[in-house]
Amino acid sequence: MPDTPIIAAHHVNLWYDETHALQDISIDIPQNKVTALIGPSGCGKSTLLRCFDRLNDLIDCVKIEGEILLDGVNIHAPGTDVVSLRKRVGMVFQKPNPFPKSIYDNVAYGPQVHGVKDKRELDRIVERSLRHAALWEEVKDRLADSALGLSGGQQQRLCIARTLAVGPEVILMDEPCSALDPIATAKIENLIDMLKKDYTVIIVTHNMQQAARVSDYAGFMYLGKLVEFGQTSQIFEHPNETLTENYITGRFG
């Protein structure tokens, strides 16, 4: 692969109790690119995504084998600070989940948890994060208002700003547009394209058109396996695997 991987997974297997949910997954996620994980429901896309920031650790019955490297360092190595890991690898969930706080406090929360106390520094971080999330112009005059008063699309961009505020290297997005209307979806997609200048983005999506529009690389998953991975244009136009072609062309899924 020509692009430098920021995340490298080697022979990752994951079980939920007896269910073998991820089977021998190896994938290199290139830096400052958008990588889409596609495939039918239940194929392991979101489970793999959650491996990259160790969110699966929160599930009691999970067992993981294999190696996941972030900037060349194993994220499961003894002594790994999971809080620091999740600062470097942020997550945006399927449904917008703003805190029941002001717009300002939503964005300032992460930096405050990580020790930023200076009001001027917090102001700078809040403005920068909202600008990077393409939301500043819409909310700059109502930062003290409740985040719950924003539209669904604005709430999702606020959640992206909240993720950006702690300075991640990688942004994970799990179906970030599934609860949004087409206009809000277009804004999120434009935002994803802008974000890759400064961040690496990994998105899980069921929407084939969205994957084709926003991603540079795509991985097709089926029944817990990574069937094929490559540049998005190649995956969609000249897939190597019949299973990939059948899914892309709508024959199943």
Side-chain angles (χ1 to χ4, degrees):
M1 179 178 292
D3 296 301
T4 305
I6 187 169
I7 292 177
H10 301 144
H11 305 292
V12 172
N13 288 272
L14 181 144
W15 291 264
Y16 296 116
D17 285 328
E18 301 303 314
T19 302
H20 197 176
L22 295 178
Q23 300 179 34
D24 199 35
I25 302 281
S26 292
I27 187 171
D28 286 347
I29 303 294
Q31 194 163 13
N32 291 107
K33 301 290 181 183
V34 179
T35 296
L37 299 176
I38 61 175
S41 294
C43 69
K45 304 183 299 293
S46 294
T47 298
L48 179 59
L49 193 75
R50 292 164 68 95
C51 285
F52 298 143
D53 66 351
R54 289 184 53 175
L55 273 183
N56 292 313
D57 290 13
L58 303 175
I59 303 170
D60 289 337
C61 61
V62 163
K63 183 178 80 167
I64 301 175
E65 293 179 353
E67 186 177 61
I68 298 174
L69 307 179
L70 174 63
D71 289 329
V73 177
N74 187 353
I75 67 171
H76 289 100
T80 298
D81 184 340
V82 179
V83 173
S84 295
L85 171 66
R86 292 181 187 146
K87 182 173 181 283
R88 296 172 65 194
V89 184
M91 173 72 89
V92 177
F93 294 93
Q94 188 167 357
K95 292 182 179 176
N97 58 343
F99 302 140
K101 298 172 177 281
S102 70
I103 294 168
Y104 182 99
D105 287 343
N106 263 268
V107 183
Y109 178 81
Q112 287 172 323
V113 166
H114 289 284
V116 178
K117 304 297 182 193
D118 182 75
K119 180 66 165 59
R120 284 176 299 179
E121 175 67 2
L122 287 171
D123 290 348
R124 187 185 66 78
I125 291 171
V126 168
E127 179 174 347
R128 183 193 66 205
S129 302
L130 288 169
R131 285 189 183 279
H132 277 199
L135 190 59
W136 174 253
E137 293 300 327
E138 296 170 45
V139 302
K140 63 182 180 182
D141 297 323
R142 48 185 179 133
L143 295 177
D145 292 358
S146 171
L148 303 181
L150 297 173
S151 70
Q154 288 174 325
Q155 287 187 10
Q156 192 65 303
R157 280 182 283 148
L158 178 66
C159 292
I160 293 170
R162 193 173 68 194
T163 299
L164 299 179
V166 296
E169 299 170 50
V170 180
I171 303 169
L172 310 177
M173 296 186 170
D174 193 357
E175 294 277 2
C177 302
S178 66
L180 304 181
D181 62 48
I183 292 173
T185 293
K187 288 184 177 180
I188 297 290
E189 290 183 1
N190 289 336
L191 175 57
I192 289 170
D193 190 54
M194 291 190 299
L195 288 174
K196 72 180 181 183
K197 297 180 181 69
D198 299 301
Y199 309 93
T200 299
V201 180
I202 310 172
I203 179 172
V204 162
T205 179
H206 282 97
N207 186 319
M208 293 297 96
Q209 292 77 21
Q210 181 173 77
R213 284 192 299 264
V214 305
S215 68
D216 303 292
Y217 288 86
F220 169 59
M221 296 185 66
Y222 185 64
L223 297 179
K225 297 179 179 178
L226 182 65
V227 176
E228 188 169 353
F229 179 71
Q231 292 190 1
T232 300
S233 56
Q234 177 259 309
I235 294 290
F236 276 81
E237 295 167 19
H238 307 288
N240 294 321
E241 302 293 332
T242 302
L243 200 58
T244 309
E245 183 177 3
N246 287 345
Y247 183 73
I248 295 290
T249 55
R251 292 185 191 136
F252 76 96

